[in-house]
mmCIF file of all heavy atoms in Angstrom:
data_model
loop_
_atom_site.group_PDB
_atom_site.id
_atom_site.type_symbol
_atom_site.label_atom_id
_atom_site.label_comp_id
_atom_site.label_asym_id
_atom_site.label_seq_id
_atom_site.Cartn_x
_atom_site.Cartn_y
_atom_site.Cartn_z
ATOM 1 N N THR B 374 7.348 34.104 -21.349
ATOM 2 C CA THR B 374 7.725 34.596 -20.032
ATOM 3 C C THR B 374 9.048 35.081 -19.938
ATOM 4 O O THR B 374 9.937 34.595 -20.598
ATOM 5 C CB THR B 374 7.668 33.287 -19.005
ATOM 6 O OG1 THR B 374 6.434 32.469 -19.321
ATOM 7 C CG2 THR B 374 7.742 33.545 -17.644
ATOM 8 N N ILE B 375 9.058 36.278 -19.384
ATOM 9 C CA ILE B 375 10.426 37.037 -19.259
ATOM 10 C C ILE B 375 10.884 37.101 -17.928
ATOM 11 O O ILE B 375 10.009 36.942 -16.942
ATOM 12 C CB ILE B 375 10.270 38.393 -20.009
ATOM 13 C CG1 ILE B 375 9.280 39.342 -19.283
ATOM 14 C CG2 ILE B 375 10.180 38.369 -21.474
ATOM 15 C CD1 ILE B 375 9.190 40.722 -19.803
ATOM 16 N N ASN B 376 12.194 37.219 -17.688
ATOM 17 C CA ASN B 376 12.670 37.142 -16.304
ATOM 18 C C ASN B 376 12.856 38.532 -15.604
ATOM 19 O O ASN B 376 13.818 38.709 -14.711
ATOM 20 C CB ASN B 376 14.006 36.432 -16.275
ATOM 21 C CG ASN B 376 15.181 37.158 -16.856
ATOM 22 O OD1 ASN B 376 14.910 38.116 -17.468
ATOM 23 N ND2 ASN B 376 16.256 36.769 -16.610
ATOM 24 N N ASN B 377 12.051 39.499 -15.908
ATOM 25 C CA ASN B 377 11.929 40.664 -15.050
ATOM 26 C C ASN B 377 10.562 40.900 -14.802
ATOM 27 O O ASN B 377 9.588 40.600 -15.538
ATOM 28 C CB ASN B 377 12.330 41.942 -15.747
ATOM 29 C CG ASN B 377 13.958 41.865 -15.980
ATOM 30 O OD1 ASN B 377 14.443 41.100 -16.758
ATOM 31 N ND2 ASN B 377 14.635 42.582 -15.184
ATOM 32 N N GLY B 378 10.141 41.520 -13.599
ATOM 33 C CA GLY B 378 8.852 41.679 -13.219
ATOM 34 C C GLY B 378 8.516 42.965 -12.482
ATOM 35 O O GLY B 378 9.208 44.059 -12.828
ATOM 36 N N SER B 379 7.608 43.054 -11.652
ATOM 37 C CA SER B 379 7.267 44.415 -11.141
ATOM 38 C C SER B 379 8.366 45.001 -10.436
ATOM 39 O O SER B 379 8.290 46.309 -10.203
ATOM 40 C CB SER B 379 6.032 44.206 -10.278
ATOM 41 O OG SER B 379 6.283 43.266 -9.297
ATOM 42 N N SER B 380 9.293 44.350 -9.854
ATOM 43 C CA SER B 380 10.376 44.932 -9.079
ATOM 44 C C SER B 380 11.332 45.734 -10.048
ATOM 45 O O SER B 380 12.082 46.583 -9.614
ATOM 46 C CB SER B 380 11.302 43.960 -8.352
ATOM 47 O OG SER B 380 11.757 42.911 -9.207
ATOM 48 N N SER B 381 11.307 45.394 -11.435
ATOM 49 C CA SER B 381 12.045 46.234 -12.398
ATOM 50 C C SER B 381 11.300 47.327 -12.869
ATOM 51 O O SER B 381 11.745 47.900 -13.959
ATOM 52 C CB SER B 381 12.827 45.373 -13.403
ATOM 53 O OG SER B 381 12.851 44.111 -13.031
ATOM 54 N N GLY B 382 10.033 47.341 -12.472
ATOM 55 C CA GLY B 382 9.190 48.519 -13.068
ATOM 56 C C GLY B 382 8.291 48.037 -14.219
ATOM 57 O O GLY B 382 7.762 48.967 -14.862
ATOM 58 N N ILE B 383 8.068 46.662 -14.437
ATOM 59 C CA ILE B 383 7.296 46.329 -15.524
ATOM 60 C C ILE B 383 5.852 46.223 -15.103
ATOM 61 O O ILE B 383 5.558 45.654 -13.976
ATOM 62 C CB ILE B 383 7.793 44.913 -16.106
ATOM 63 C CG1 ILE B 383 9.201 45.168 -16.618
ATOM 64 C CG2 ILE B 383 6.823 44.340 -17.171
ATOM 65 C CD1 ILE B 383 9.836 43.832 -17.217
ATOM 66 N N LYS B 384 4.985 46.794 -15.890
ATOM 67 C CA LYS B 384 3.575 46.768 -15.589
ATOM 68 C C LYS B 384 2.783 46.119 -16.672
ATOM 69 O O LYS B 384 3.286 46.224 -17.763
ATOM 70 C CB LYS B 384 3.002 48.133 -15.307
ATOM 71 C CG LYS B 384 3.593 48.766 -13.986
ATOM 72 C CD LYS B 384 2.763 49.967 -13.578
ATOM 73 C CE LYS B 384 3.496 50.746 -12.530
ATOM 74 N NZ LYS B 384 4.129 52.039 -13.108
ATOM 75 N N PRO B 385 1.654 45.614 -16.457
ATOM 76 C CA PRO B 385 0.729 45.167 -17.536
ATOM 77 C C PRO B 385 0.565 46.256 -18.668
ATOM 78 O O PRO B 385 0.526 47.401 -18.278
ATOM 79 C CB PRO B 385 -0.503 44.764 -16.930
ATOM 80 C CG PRO B 385 -0.160 44.440 -15.572
ATOM 81 C CD PRO B 385 0.933 45.324 -15.144
ATOM 82 N N ASN B 386 0.426 45.803 -19.902
ATOM 83 C CA ASN B 386 0.140 46.680 -21.059
ATOM 84 C C ASN B 386 1.398 47.472 -21.447
ATOM 85 O O ASN B 386 1.255 48.574 -22.087
ATOM 86 C CB ASN B 386 -1.025 47.656 -20.701
ATOM 87 C CG ASN B 386 -2.324 47.031 -20.830
ATOM 88 O OD1 ASN B 386 -2.500 46.096 -21.611
ATOM 89 N ND2 ASN B 386 -3.245 47.386 -20.171
ATOM 90 N N MET B 387 2.562 47.006 -21.205
ATOM 91 C CA MET B 387 3.668 47.643 -21.721
ATOM 92 C C MET B 387 4.163 46.801 -23.055
ATOM 93 O O MET B 387 3.941 45.689 -23.157
ATOM 94 C CB MET B 387 4.948 47.619 -20.801
ATOM 95 C CG MET B 387 4.737 48.635 -19.609
ATOM 96 S SD MET B 387 6.229 48.511 -18.735
ATOM 97 C CE MET B 387 5.839 49.789 -17.536
ATOM 98 N N GLY B 388 4.727 47.597 -23.886
ATOM 99 C CA GLY B 388 5.129 47.029 -25.230
ATOM 100 C C GLY B 388 6.478 46.254 -25.076
ATOM 101 O O GLY B 388 7.330 46.604 -24.307
ATOM 102 N N VAL B 389 6.484 45.110 -25.825
ATOM 103 C CA VAL B 389 7.943 44.463 -25.806
ATOM 104 C C VAL B 389 8.300 44.225 -27.243
ATOM 105 O O VAL B 389 7.623 43.897 -28.129
ATOM 106 C CB VAL B 389 7.626 42.957 -25.233
ATOM 107 C CG1 VAL B 389 8.959 42.178 -25.192
ATOM 108 C CG2 VAL B 389 7.094 43.071 -23.842
ATOM 109 N N ILE B 390 9.647 44.565 -27.391
ATOM 110 C CA ILE B 390 10.242 44.511 -28.813
ATOM 111 C C ILE B 390 11.576 43.750 -28.645
ATOM 112 O O ILE B 390 11.914 43.641 -27.637
ATOM 113 C CB ILE B 390 10.281 45.960 -29.454
ATOM 114 C CG1 ILE B 390 11.323 46.725 -28.640
ATOM 115 C CG2 ILE B 390 9.040 46.555 -29.655
ATOM 116 C CD1 ILE B 390 11.793 48.102 -29.394
ATOM 117 N N ASN B 391 12.091 43.488 -29.789
ATOM 118 C CA ASN B 391 13.571 43.067 -29.776
ATOM 119 C C ASN B 391 14.177 43.837 -30.901
ATOM 120 O O ASN B 391 13.661 44.603 -31.607
ATOM 121 C CB ASN B 391 13.780 41.576 -29.852
ATOM 122 C CG ASN B 391 13.410 40.955 -31.112
ATOM 123 O OD1 ASN B 391 13.002 41.662 -32.048
ATOM 124 N ND2 ASN B 391 13.587 39.579 -31.286
ATOM 125 N N SER B 392 15.457 43.429 -31.367
ATOM 126 C CA SER B 392 16.203 44.176 -32.311
ATOM 127 C C SER B 392 15.574 44.206 -33.658
ATOM 128 O O SER B 392 15.824 45.150 -34.382
ATOM 129 C CB SER B 392 17.669 43.626 -32.351
ATOM 130 O OG SER B 392 17.618 42.378 -32.584
ATOM 131 N N ALA B 393 14.731 43.101 -33.958
ATOM 132 C CA ALA B 393 14.279 43.023 -35.239
ATOM 133 C C ALA B 393 12.806 43.639 -35.400
ATOM 134 O O ALA B 393 12.501 44.222 -36.351
ATOM 135 C CB ALA B 393 14.100 41.584 -35.674
ATOM 136 N N GLY B 394 12.099 43.629 -34.300
ATOM 137 C CA GLY B 394 10.681 44.309 -34.466
ATOM 138 C C GLY B 394 9.863 43.844 -33.267
ATOM 139 O O GLY B 394 10.399 43.569 -32.138
ATOM 140 N N ILE B 395 8.500 44.108 -33.297
ATOM 141 C CA ILE B 395 7.732 43.867 -32.087
ATOM 142 C C ILE B 395 7.720 42.466 -31.799
ATOM 143 O O ILE B 395 7.646 41.528 -32.650
ATOM 144 C CB ILE B 395 6.374 44.570 -32.286
ATOM 145 C CG1 ILE B 395 5.556 43.818 -33.378
ATOM 146 C CG2 ILE B 395 6.504 46.016 -32.439
ATOM 147 C CD1 ILE B 395 4.046 44.345 -33.278
ATOM 148 N N VAL B 396 7.378 42.185 -30.502
ATOM 149 C CA VAL B 396 7.270 40.870 -29.944
ATOM 150 C C VAL B 396 5.870 40.689 -29.189
ATOM 151 O O VAL B 396 5.176 39.646 -29.491
ATOM 152 C CB VAL B 396 8.270 40.525 -28.867
ATOM 153 C CG1 VAL B 396 8.096 39.207 -28.216
ATOM 154 C CG2 VAL B 396 9.695 40.565 -29.625
ATOM 155 N N GLY B 397 5.399 41.617 -28.459
ATOM 156 C CA GLY B 397 4.054 41.407 -27.850
ATOM 157 C C GLY B 397 3.924 42.531 -26.812
ATOM 158 O O GLY B 397 4.452 43.465 -26.754
ATOM 159 N N ILE B 398 2.871 42.249 -25.825
ATOM 160 C CA ILE B 398 2.452 43.174 -24.735
ATOM 161 C C ILE B 398 2.332 42.460 -23.635
ATOM 162 O O ILE B 398 1.955 41.296 -23.415
ATOM 163 C CB ILE B 398 1.040 43.704 -25.191
ATOM 164 C CG1 ILE B 398 0.991 44.503 -26.540
ATOM 165 C CG2 ILE B 398 0.535 44.653 -24.152
ATOM 166 C CD1 ILE B 398 -0.387 44.886 -27.006
ATOM 167 N N VAL B 399 2.842 43.162 -22.453
ATOM 168 C CA VAL B 399 2.993 42.499 -21.180
ATOM 169 C C VAL B 399 1.570 42.167 -20.714
ATOM 170 O O VAL B 399 0.701 42.990 -20.815
ATOM 171 C CB VAL B 399 3.736 43.380 -20.170
ATOM 172 C CG1 VAL B 399 3.665 42.795 -18.861
ATOM 173 C CG2 VAL B 399 5.111 43.553 -20.675
#
Side-chain angles (χ1 to χ4, degrees):
Chain B
T374 312
I375 56 176
N376 71 345
N377 287 77
S379 51
S380 62
S381 337
I383 295 180
K384 289 194 196 107
N386 285 329
M387 285 182 177
V389 180
I390 62 170
N391 72 357
S392 55
I395 64 169
V396 171
I398 298 171
V399 175

